[in-house]
Amino acid sequence: MGVAGRWFRGVGRAATPVRLVHDSVANAVYGSIAGAMRMGGRGAGLLAAMTPAATSKLLAGPEANAVLGAVNGLWGDHLARRHPELAITMGVRSGGEDVPLETVALHEKFPAGGRRLAVFLHGLCETEDSWGRPAEDDDTPGTYGDRLRRDLAMAPVFVRYNSGLPVPDNGELLAQLLQDLVAAWPDRVTELALVGHSMGGLVMRAATDVGVARGMRWPGLLRHNVYLGTPHDGAPLARGVAVLSRALRRLPETAALAEVLDVRSAGIRDLESGYASEGGSLTEVRHHVIGATLGGSRNDPLSRTFGDLLVTPDSAGGRGRNGAVLKIEDIDRRELAGLSHFQLLDHPAVADALRDWLAPAKRRRR
């Protein structure tokens, strides 16, 4: 960071956008590496030498889960090939554990059951814990899922996945997971809603395409897709990484960081262009989008350049020029000023929108 800082100072103000990208990426990289070292003690060599049971125990807990999510987001496709013991496998999560998609196991973890499901998909470098702190009792707001369970009697299901894999690959995995989930759910599922933050929204779209193409059952139950800060048309930060890598290669001092950026995961590369497929759309599904802007409005210079830091308002709203445009009614669009990308994971205004949009038709406010 120090060497790069000297380089950026030498270039001057013209490098400010690239520097913001650099600092965001570098902080994530260095933070993940530091966390992994704290988690692993002697590092990857020790992990590779441990038994699967011991490795699983070491990687348990919220802090380790966060580090694992970040590392998988950065290099998840490489881990899947070379260190599968560190690669996240897509699955339903509850209480920090994977839940087998079997009726008995689902009933044990979701005793309240329910016929209406809300499935939550996190974004790049995140995990199911990124959605905020669960409610400890009826007096605490809890996650969006907790609120939907209380207010709308919807069963919240949180999914964790390897966000470093290509978006189409995760779409296929999610499509099969939803098929198995609906089949094994203790109650007969009558309605399904998908809620995705950032990359999670792209994975939802890919899964829908797969589900429709393969004639799966669950797309017929899908009624709502909610996208929170999803880069439908790509994310400037992801595109900036490629530019940054080329710039850092110009100096021997920063070439090493360029190499780190060049091995970024396929998931990060997919964020450069967003979601372009036009196939598999379901006319009976309502699409809802929420975007955020760092400034007081979308016309603020900061908002126009960086949006919510990672995604611009047009991209989050499905209005972009490169991705497949979503058909969204004005009532299903909300833009929140003065918020960053990650505040969309746990914010009262988002919770209110979810409650309004996902309420049964006779209770929905128009």
Side-chain angles (χ1 to χ4, degrees):
M1 290 286 284
V3 172
R6 292 196 298 273
W7 183 83
F8 283 121
R9 285 193 294 272
V11 174
R13 293 180 63 186
T16 297
V18 176
R19 180 172 187 167
L20 287 172
V21 174
H22 166 270
D23 290 349
S24 298
V25 173
N27 285 335
V29 172
Y30 297 147
S32 296
I33 292 174
M37 290 180 67
R38 288 194 299 271
M39 177 186 69
R42 296 181 182 178
L46 177 59
L47 285 172
M50 295 176 70
T51 64
T55 301
S56 177
K57 183 177 180 180
L58 181 63
L59 297 179
E63 292 183 0
N65 191 32
V67 172
L68 194 63
V71 172
N72 272 257
L74 293 167
W75 304 295
D77 52 338
H78 303 287
L79 291 177
R81 292 192 301 269
R82 301 172 186 174
H83 297 285
E85 70 278 8
L86 298 179
I88 290 173
T89 300
M90 181 179 286
V92 170
R93 301 278 291 179
S94 179
E97 298 178 341
D98 287 326
V99 182
L101 297 184
E102 302 169 353
T103 302
V104 173
L106 288 169
H107 179 71
E108 181 180 345
K109 289 294 186 178
F110 302 93
R115 294 188 173 188
R116 304 176 68 231
L117 305 187
V119 179
F120 290 82
L121 280 295
H122 59 75
L124 177 70
C125 292
E126 298 169 357
T127 71
E128 76 282 4
D129 294 331
S130 301
W131 291 102
R133 185 175 180 178
E136 296 180 356
D137 53 56
D138 291 338
D139 296 326
T140 58
T143 65
Y144 298 147
D146 291 326
R147 301 179 202 193
L148 291 178
R149 181 176 55 239
R150 289 198 305 261
D151 297 343
L152 303 181
M154 294 191 78
V157 178
F158 292 88
V159 173
R160 186 179 72 168
Y161 66 98
N162 180 348
S163 59
L165 295 179
V167 167
D169 290 7
N170 274 321
E172 288 200 22
L173 293 172
L174 177 60
Q176 188 59 55
L177 180 145
L178 293 174
Q179 185 77 348
D180 296 340
L181 175 67
V182 168
W185 191 253
D187 295 316
R188 182 175 66 87
V189 178
T190 58
E191 183 177 322
L192 185 63
L194 302 181
V195 182
H197 178 246
S198 195
M199 177 188 282
L202 301 182
V203 174
M204 286 160 40
R205 294 183 68 175
T208 303
D209 281 353
V210 172
V212 171
R214 297 183 182 176
M216 292 182 171
R217 177 189 171 200
W218 68 266
L221 303 172
L222 187 60
R223 296 294 178 268
H224 301 273
N225 273 358
V226 183
Y227 310 95
L228 309 179
T230 293
H232 298 284
D233 198 46
L237 177 62
R239 290 193 289 264
V241 170
V243 176
L244 174 61
S245 177
R246 290 194 295 270
L248 293 176
R249 284 192 177 280
R250 296 178 181 177
L251 291 178
E253 291 177 307
T254 56
L257 182 55
E259 292 180 4
V260 172
L261 297 181
D262 283 342
V263 297
R264 63 192 182 276
S265 70
I268 293 177
R269 294 177 188 272
D270 280 349
L271 292 183
E272 296 176 15
S273 56
Y275 195 74
S277 173
E278 295 281 0
S281 60
L282 296 172
T283 56
E284 60 268 33
V285 176
R286 286 183 63 188
H287 296 280
H288 317 267
V289 296
I290 298 181
T293 58
L294 295 174
S297 72
R298 65 164 37 228
N299 295 320
D300 185 286
L302 186 63
S303 301
R304 287 201 305 268
T305 304
F306 297 106
D308 63 9
L309 180 61
L310 301 182
V311 181
T312 63
D314 282 345
S315 186
R319 297 190 181 100
R321 294 172 295 179
N322 299 319
V325 177
L326 289 172
K327 295 180 180 179
I328 305 172
E329 302 292 335
D330 288 341
I331 195 173
D332 294 321
R333 296 181 185 274
R334 300 200 183 181
E335 198 167 281
L336 306 178
L339 296 183
S340 71
H341 187 70
F342 299 102
Q343 286 178 283
L344 293 173
L345 285 159
D346 185 13
H347 194 275
V350 177
D352 290 343
L354 289 174
R355 185 179 62 247
D356 290 347
W357 288 335
L358 303 188
K362 63 181 179 180
R363 294 174 52 190
R364 194 175 297 136
R365 294 202 298 262
R366 287 284 181 178

